[in-house]
Amino acid sequence: MSGAQTAALSRRPAIPTVVRDYLTLTKPKVQSLLLFTTITTMYVAGDPSLGLVFLTCLGGALSAGGAGAINHAVDRDIDRTMARTADRPVASGRVSATAATAFGIALGAASFLLLALAVNPLAAALSLSGLLGYVCVYTLWLKRTTPQNIVIGGAAGAVPPLVAWAAVTGGLSGMAFYMFAIVFFWTPPHFWALSILMKDEYAKAGIPMLPVVRGEEETRRQILLYTVLLYAVTQLPFCAGGLGVAYLVPSMLLGAGFIYFSTRLYRSRERRWALRTYLFSLAYLALLFFSMAVAANI
C-alpha cells in the first residue's frame, strides 16, 4: 500500500465514530424523557401489549430522531458559535448538512410508515405533527425570532402523550389532553432554567432566548409563574376524575417541590439555583408521569 493510500485511509472517519455521530444527530438524551412519557401514558390509557409499547416507542424514537437530525442541519451556523454545541457532528463538519437532512427525513418517513401500518394512522399523524412542529415551527421560525420560542414551540415536545394515547385507544380523550398540557406548561420553566445558565452563549449566537431579551430577573419571575400554573394544570387529572388520591398526593408533593426550587431561584439570583431547578424539573416530570401510571393501575 502506498503512502498516499495510507494517508487517505487515515483521514476516513472510523466506523464507530460515524455511528456515534449519526446517533448524536438523533439527540438520544432528549429522547429518553420523551420515550418515558410515552410508555407511562400508554399504561394510563389502558393495558397495552409489550409489542405495542415497543412499536410505539420505536416509531416515536424515529420521529424525534428525525427532527433532531434536521435541527442539527438547520442550526449548524449558531451551533458553531457556542462552546456547548460547537463539536456537534454537522457544526464541526464531520457530517454534512445535506446528509443530516436526508437522514432526518428518512427517519421521519420510517416513523410514519411504521406507526401507520403497525399501530394506527392517528398515532402516525400525531407523531408526524410533532416532527413538523419542531422543525418548521420551532427550529425554522420561532427559535431565531421571538423569546416566546420555547412557549409556543413546546407544543411539539408535548405530542408524545397524544401519540401514546392514540396508540392504545385509537382515539383521544380529555385525559390525553391533560397530559399534553402538563408537558406543554412544564417546558418553559424547565428550559428557561437552562437558558439562564447558557445566557451568554445564546447572546453570542444571536438567539433571542428570554434571559437575553428580557433579562435574568424577568426570566426567574416567568419560571415561578409558569411553575405555579403547572401545579394547577397537574391537578386536572384528579379534579376531572381520571386519577385518584394515589396520583393527587405525589402530584401535590412534586408540585410543591418544583415551586420551592423556582422560588429559591427567584429570590437568590444565584446561578446554582438555575442548575438545581433544571435538574429537579427533569426528575419532576419523570416521577409525575410514573405516578400517573401507578395510580391508573391500582
Side-chain angles (χ1 to χ4, degrees):
M1 182 179 295
S2 68
Q5 289 174 319
T6 302
L9 286 174
S10 66
R11 288 194 297 268
R12 293 178 185 175
I15 291 179
T17 301
V18 172
V19 172
R20 185 167 59 250
D21 280 341
Y22 274 87
L23 180 62
T24 299
L25 291 178
T26 66
K27 299 189 175 184
K29 292 182 179 180
V30 175
Q31 282 204 44
S32 60
L33 191 55
L34 297 178
L35 293 177
F36 186 79
T37 60
T38 298
I39 294 169
T40 48
T41 299
M42 293 182 77
Y43 284 100
V44 175
D47 185 24
S49 66
L50 291 178
L52 180 61
V53 173
F54 172 76
L55 290 170
T56 304
C57 287
L58 179 58
L62 291 170
S63 180
I70 298 172
N71 174 267
H72 273 265
V74 174
D75 282 351
R76 63 190 183 279
D77 58 331
I78 57 178
D79 282 346
R80 292 189 187 110
T81 67
M82 299 190 292
R84 180 175 65 93
T85 57
D87 194 49
R88 284 178 171 175
V90 181
S92 65
R94 294 193 303 274
V95 177
S96 71
T98 300
T101 301
F103 181 58
I105 293 173
L107 291 180
S111 168
F112 183 82
L113 290 174
L114 173 66
L115 292 173
L117 297 174
V119 181
N120 61 59
L122 178 59
L126 288 168
S127 184
L128 179 61
S129 73
L131 184 153
L132 294 176
Y134 183 75
V135 172
C136 300
V137 179
Y138 174 70
T139 302
L140 291 173
W141 176 32
L142 297 173
K143 185 174 182 177
R144 303 181 189 226
T145 59
T146 172
Q148 293 299 306
N149 45 22
I150 292 301
V151 178
I152 304 170
V159 167
L162 298 181
V163 175
W165 199 278
V168 176
T169 67
L172 295 174
S173 70
M175 186 59 134
F177 288 106
Y178 294 152
M179 299 177 83
F180 168 89
I182 288 171
V183 180
F184 179 81
F185 286 104
W186 165 85
T187 302
H190 162 73
F191 198 89
W192 282 335
L194 176 63
S195 69
I196 289 176
L197 300 171
M198 306 300 300
K199 175 187 174 183
D200 293 341
E201 291 206 356
Y202 283 132
K204 181 181 178 182
I207 304 175
M209 290 298 178
L210 192 62
V212 176
V213 177
R214 303 285 295 277
E216 289 189 25
E217 183 173 354
E218 177 61 18
T219 302
R220 289 184 171 94
R221 190 177 76 88
Q222 290 293 326
I223 288 172
L224 179 57
L225 291 174
Y226 266 88
T227 303
V228 173
L229 178 58
L230 173 64
Y231 178 86
V233 172
T234 59
Q235 303 312 301
L236 291 176
F238 172 78
C239 295
L243 295 172
V245 176
Y247 164 74
L248 176 65
V249 173
S251 72
M252 293 177 68
L253 293 174
L254 288 167
F258 205 165
I259 291 173
Y260 166 78
F261 277 92
S262 297
T263 301
R264 288 300 302 266
L265 174 61
Y266 178 71
R267 291 179 175 176
S268 72
R269 305 297 195 272
E270 295 181 15
R271 292 290 184 93
R272 64 190 177 97
W273 281 104
L275 177 60
R276 291 176 179 178
T277 302
Y278 170 75
L279 293 176
F280 179 82
S281 70
L282 293 170
Y284 167 88
L285 190 67
L287 291 172
L288 186 72
F289 270 71
F290 178 75
S291 69
M292 289 184 188
V294 172
N297 289 277
I298 59 174

